[in-house]
């Protein structure tokens, strides 16, 4: 058997096995659908990925990999820092930050909101603060054209007189598919990630809420050198994510995407990125059917 064909078959086999293992781990975890458990694990960490509809599992080529697919850290070049801010849905402030280098990544996300208490007549009688935060550490290794990564996530929730804490983890795989010469494609990648594999949030009251277990598969391609097309499918929540990024110049990128919910709730996203030497500014916009639309801003450094 020729060496090239043998390598392709080996990569395909490893991707199939790794994906199957992720699915088995996710399905073997305790079932549950808690409401409001770890909302910050459902939002994002960078405006670049959000502008692409969150379709980033098979892209994962910057510090956003910590959040979307830790396996992407194995392909990192240099060092990358990203941050994120949004006045989320007009109800609170969301912050995120991440640092990544080859094989390693660190990240933090936080949601801060103040809730107004009202009496039976709708008059304000007081307020209380609500906080969610998480610290994430990730590690990845490359096995030729396949990489495997994992992230450990420490989560905390602060509400009046009943704080909570929990630990969980993600496992992801990412592979570059070998393509025949003359195919015309700049590259095709496939990925899979199993999120929040275990653990629960334990509160001071003694009550526990299990983390939501989520399994996502994704694919990305470069039909031409300056264009990335990506698609993710959240199997757990039957939600599709579509995204595209086009480099107008090396310093300016345009992005668009969509989120297709299994409940019929679809949203559109758009964004842009601007870079100057090592600095980068990214913006993302997302529509909502009922709640106010979202605006996201990221500042990043590559070195």
């Amino acid at each position: 058997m020729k060496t090239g064909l043998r390598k392709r078959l080996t990569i395909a086999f490893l991707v199939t096995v790794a994906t199957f293992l992720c699915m088995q781990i996710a399905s073997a975890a305790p079932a549950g659908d808690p409401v409001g458990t770890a909302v910050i694990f459902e939002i994002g960490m960078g405006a670049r990925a959000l502008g692409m509809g969150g379709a980033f599992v098979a892209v994962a080529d910057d510090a956003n990999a910590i959040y979307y697919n830790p396996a992407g850290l194995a392909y990192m070049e240099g060092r990358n820092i990203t941050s994120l801010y949004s006045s989320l849905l007009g109800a609170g402030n969301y912050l995120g930050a991440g640092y990544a280098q080859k094989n390693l990544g660190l990240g933090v996300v936080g949601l801060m909101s103040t809730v107004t208490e009202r009496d039976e007549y709708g008059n304000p009688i007081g307020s209380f603060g609500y906080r969610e935060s998480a610290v994430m550490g990730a590690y990845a290794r490359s096995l030729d054209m396949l990489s495997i990564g994992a992230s450990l996530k420490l989560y905390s929730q602060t509400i009046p007189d009943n704080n909570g804490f929990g630990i969980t983890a993600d496992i992801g795989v990412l592979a570059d598919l070998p393509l025949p010469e003359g195919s015309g494609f700049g590259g095709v990648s496939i990925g899979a990630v199993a999120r929040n594999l275990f653990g629960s949030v334990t509160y001071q009251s003694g009550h526990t809420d299990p983390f939501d277990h989520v399994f996502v598969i994704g694919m990305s391609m470069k039909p031409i050198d300056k264009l990335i097309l990506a698609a993710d499918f959240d199997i757990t929540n039957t939600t599709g994510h579509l995204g595209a990024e086009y480099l107008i110049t090396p310093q300016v990128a345009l992005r668009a995407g969509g989120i297709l919910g299994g409940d019929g709730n679809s949203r559109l996203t758009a964004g842009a990125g601007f870079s100057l030497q090592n600095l980068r500014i990214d913006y993302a916009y997302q529509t909502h059917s009922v709640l106010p639309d979202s605006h996201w801003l990221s500042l990043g450094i590559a070195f």
Side-chain angles (χ1 to χ4, degrees):
M1 184 181 294
K2 294 183 179 180
T3 302
L5 178 59
R6 184 185 297 113
K7 178 178 286 189
R8 291 173 189 154
L9 292 175
T10 300
I11 294 298
F13 173 75
L14 289 174
V15 171
T16 301
V17 171
T19 303
F20 175 77
L21 289 175
C22 283
M23 293 181 69
Q24 290 302 306
I25 293 171
S27 62
D33 186 26
V35 177
T37 302
V39 173
I40 53 176
F41 292 151
E42 303 173 6
I43 299 175
M45 199 173 72
R48 181 187 176 211
L50 289 166
M52 297 174 66
F56 215 72
V57 166
V59 180
D61 58 357
D62 59 21
N64 285 283
I66 303 166
Y67 193 100
Y68 288 95
N69 187 354
L73 295 170
Y75 301 128
M76 285 289 301
E77 296 181 359
R79 296 173 174 85
N80 186 269
I81 296 174
T82 190
S83 62
L84 178 67
Y85 172 76
S86 176
S87 178
L88 189 60
L89 303 175
N93 296 313
Y94 182 82
L95 300 169
Y99 166 82
Q101 64 181 53
K102 187 174 180 61
N103 298 329
L104 296 172
L106 295 172
V108 59
V109 290
L111 173 64
M112 294 152 283
S113 179
T114 299
V115 180
T116 300
E117 295 182 278
R118 299 181 182 275
D119 61 19
E120 58 183 317
Y121 303 106
N123 300 312
I125 58 176
S127 62
F128 64 90
Y130 174 83
R131 305 286 186 273
E132 283 190 43
S133 62
V135 177
M136 301 171 285
Y139 177 76
R141 291 292 294 178
S142 175
L143 305 174
D144 196 4
M145 299 175 72
L146 171 73
S147 67
I148 300 175
S151 63
L152 183 68
K153 305 191 290 190
L154 308 181
Y155 170 83
S156 67
Q157 184 181 112
T158 302
I159 53 179
D161 303 319
N162 196 23
N163 297 336
F165 178 80
I167 300 175
T168 188
D170 300 346
I171 293 179
V173 295
L174 184 63
D176 292 328
L177 297 183
L179 298 174
E181 293 185 9
S183 63
F185 285 95
V188 175
S189 298
I190 59 173
V193 62
R195 297 178 179 144
N196 309 325
L197 291 175
F198 58 80
S200 301
V201 181
T202 301
Y203 297 93
Q204 288 176 302
S205 63
H207 177 72
T208 61
D209 269 340
F211 288 106
D212 293 314
H213 316 299
V214 179
F215 180 75
V216 185
I217 56 176
M219 179 177 181
S220 69
M221 65 175 64
K222 292 184 178 180
I224 58 176
D225 186 51
K226 298 180 180 180
L227 177 65
I228 296 176
L229 301 177
D232 288 359
F233 182 63
D234 181 337
I235 296 175
T236 306
N237 299 301
T238 61
T239 300
H241 299 260
L242 301 173
E245 177 183 69
Y246 181 74
L247 293 178
I248 298 177
T249 72
Q251 293 77 35
V252 180
L254 293 181
R255 305 181 185 107
I259 302 171
L260 311 175
D263 57 359
N265 181 20
S266 299
R267 290 152 283 169
L268 299 176
T269 67
F274 308 91
S275 62
L276 178 62
Q277 295 182 346
N278 294 336
L279 301 178
R280 185 168 195 90
I281 299 175
D282 292 298
Y283 166 78
Y285 169 81
Q286 179 178 316
T287 64
H288 296 279
S289 57
V290 178
L291 297 172
D293 295 345
S294 300
H295 300 267
W296 308 87
L297 182 65
S298 288
L299 301 178
I301 303 175
F303 56 99

